[in-house]
């Protein structure tokens, strides 16, 4: 690549092949379906070289209640040291109103840049991978007042409300897009039909991604995870927020291996929006 300064662009679906190649260059596994979802609900920026090839990327997704999340921040190794990461982040920050709380899950390489832009660590994410083999969730207790069943369109409003309480912000556009992408969507439903939990599983090129998972307690989260993964013999990934020790203990006792423990950082605020304590697994690093 030439040692010239490349221009920053707003990217589109036409750039998906380049974005997939860029992701692969750093060992990440963004596939076409994932990037289409990101483009459908957010904005993606990137530098292009003289051959119109994408050499950097960053995405920002604005949710409905003054909360946004940043992810897919990548600079090709041949273009590092030119300030492209800062350019990308400044474009993302400028894409949302100034009173928006912006969150991201940082890599070790990106953390110094984010700190310099005013981001501060507020919690951490526990990233786990289960190499293979079916997960055996405990049987549903006889005293349980709910069943785990496939999600229907009629359940969406209740799922969106549970998700809002768990995350601290409405994100119906994300949920609708993620449902279309998901391999499995389940809800925990009482006999009266009340939705009290939900979980999605998305098949990526390497991992079955379990999340989001929202539940009243760790036992319900375990039931949802078991049902989401029960027919999957391959690798499973799940990213768990701080504050769920019983759920984390179950993962560690059932073949999940901790891959990393990255910081959750925010700007324009000193904390995440208030949460209900029911968030057991995030959708993916980019979605917060």
């Amino acid at each position: 690549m030439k040692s010239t300064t490349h221009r920053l662009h707003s990217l589109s679906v036409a750039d998906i092949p380049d974005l997939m190649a860029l992701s692969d260059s750093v060992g990440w596994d963004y596939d076409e379906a994932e990037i289409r979802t990101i483009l459908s609900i957010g904005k993606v920026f990137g530098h292009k070289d003289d051959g119109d090839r994408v050499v950097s990327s960053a995405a920002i997704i604005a949710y409905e209640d003054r909360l946004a999340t940043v992810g897919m921040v990548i600079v090709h190794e041949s273009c590092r040291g030119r300030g492209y990461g800062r350019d990308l982040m400044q474009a993302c920050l400028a894409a949302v109103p100034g009173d928006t709380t912006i969150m991201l899950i940082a890599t070790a390489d990106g953390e110094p840049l984010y700190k310099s832009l005013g981001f501060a660590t507020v919690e951490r994410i526990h990233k786990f991978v289960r190499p293979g083999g079916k997960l055996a969730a405990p049987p549903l207790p006889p005293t349980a007042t709910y069943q785990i069943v496939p999600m229907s369109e009629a359940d969406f409003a209740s799922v969106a409300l549970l998700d809002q309480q768990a995350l601290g912000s409405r994100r119906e556009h994300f949920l609708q897009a993620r449902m279309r992408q998901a391999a499995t969507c389940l809800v925990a439903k009482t006999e009266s039909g009340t939705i009290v939990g939900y979980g999605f599983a998305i098949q990526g090129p390497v991992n079955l991604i379990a999340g989001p998972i929202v539940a009243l307690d760790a036992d319900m989260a375990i039931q949802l995870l078991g049902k989401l993964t029960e027919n999957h013999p391959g690798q499973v990934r799940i990213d768990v927020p701080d504050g769920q020790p019983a759920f984390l203990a179950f993962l560690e006792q059932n073949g999940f291996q901790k891959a990393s423990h990255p910081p959750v950082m925010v700007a324009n605020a000193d904390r995440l929006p208030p949460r209900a304590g029911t968030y057991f697994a995030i959708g993916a690093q980019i979605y917060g």
Side-chain angles (χ1 to χ4, degrees):
M1 296 182 184
K2 297 180 180 179
S3 58
T4 57
T5 300
H6 303 130
R7 294 182 59 190
L8 187 64
H9 297 259
S10 181
L11 304 183
S12 70
V13 292
D15 298 303
I16 288 177
D18 280 359
L19 287 167
M20 291 171 60
L22 181 64
S23 168
D24 185 64
S25 76
V26 294
W28 294 358
D29 59 354
Y30 283 99
D31 62 4
E32 180 176 351
E34 187 79 326
I35 296 172
R36 283 188 179 275
T37 293
I38 294 164
L39 285 165
S40 73
I41 60 175
K43 298 178 180 179
V44 182
F45 301 97
H47 295 86
K48 292 187 176 182
D49 66 14
D50 295 337
D52 206 37
R53 182 173 56 166
V54 176
V55 296
S56 74
S57 69
I60 185 163
I61 299 167
Y63 296 138
E64 285 96 310
D65 290 334
R66 297 194 301 278
L67 177 67
T69 180
V70 171
M72 202 165 63
V73 183
I74 309 170
V75 178
H76 192 275
E77 62 179 357
S78 65
C79 296
R80 292 173 188 166
R82 304 182 188 182
Y84 289 179
R86 184 172 295 273
D87 289 348
L88 291 163
M89 287 300 299
Q90 288 174 337
C92 287
L93 296 175
V96 296
D99 62 349
T100 302
T101 298
I102 302 174
M103 65 177 295
L104 57 81
I105 300 171
T107 62
D109 288 341
E111 189 173 354
L113 169 62
Y114 305 141
K115 286 181 177 178
S116 75
L117 291 168
F119 284 84
T121 297
V122 293
E123 66 171 47
R124 288 184 174 269
I125 290 290
H126 306 258
K127 300 176 73 70
F128 282 89
V129 174
R130 193 171 193 271
K134 296 183 179 180
L135 177 67
L140 193 67
T143 56
T145 58
Y146 63 89
Q147 294 291 324
I148 307 296
V149 298
M151 179 181 171
S152 70
E153 287 291 337
D155 299 327
F156 180 79
S158 296
V159 165
L161 179 58
L162 286 176
D163 186 78
Q164 178 181 350
Q165 293 165 346
L167 182 74
S169 178
R170 289 185 301 117
R171 53 174 183 175
E172 293 184 14
H173 294 157
F174 160 73
L175 291 172
Q176 289 167 343
R178 203 63 166 166
M179 282 172 55
R180 292 191 292 269
Q181 188 184 350
T184 309
C185 299
L186 301 175
V187 293
K189 183 179 289 191
T190 68
E191 289 185 3
S192 65
T194 302
I195 306 300
V196 290
Y198 85 92
F200 293 169
I202 289 80
Q203 181 61 62
V206 177
N207 303 298
L208 181 73
I209 302 168
I213 294 175
V214 172
L216 292 179
D217 53 33
D219 289 339
M220 183 183 290
I222 290 166
Q223 292 294 327
L224 284 163
L225 175 62
K227 290 293 186 181
L228 288 168
T229 63
E230 66 178 353
N231 295 316
H232 185 73
Q235 190 161 286
V236 176
R237 194 187 88 205
I238 186 168
D239 299 349
V240 182
D242 274 341
Q244 304 296 356
F247 188 60
L248 290 171
F250 172 83
L251 297 178
E252 291 172 342
Q253 293 162 10
N254 286 272
F256 284 85
Q257 301 168 5
K258 183 173 281 191
S260 61
H261 191 207
V264 179
M265 308 182 77
V266 300
N268 299 339
D270 58 5
R271 62 179 61 87
L272 291 168
R275 294 179 169 185
T278 54
Y279 204 22
F280 283 85
I282 68 173
Q285 187 160 316
I286 190 170
Y287 302 119

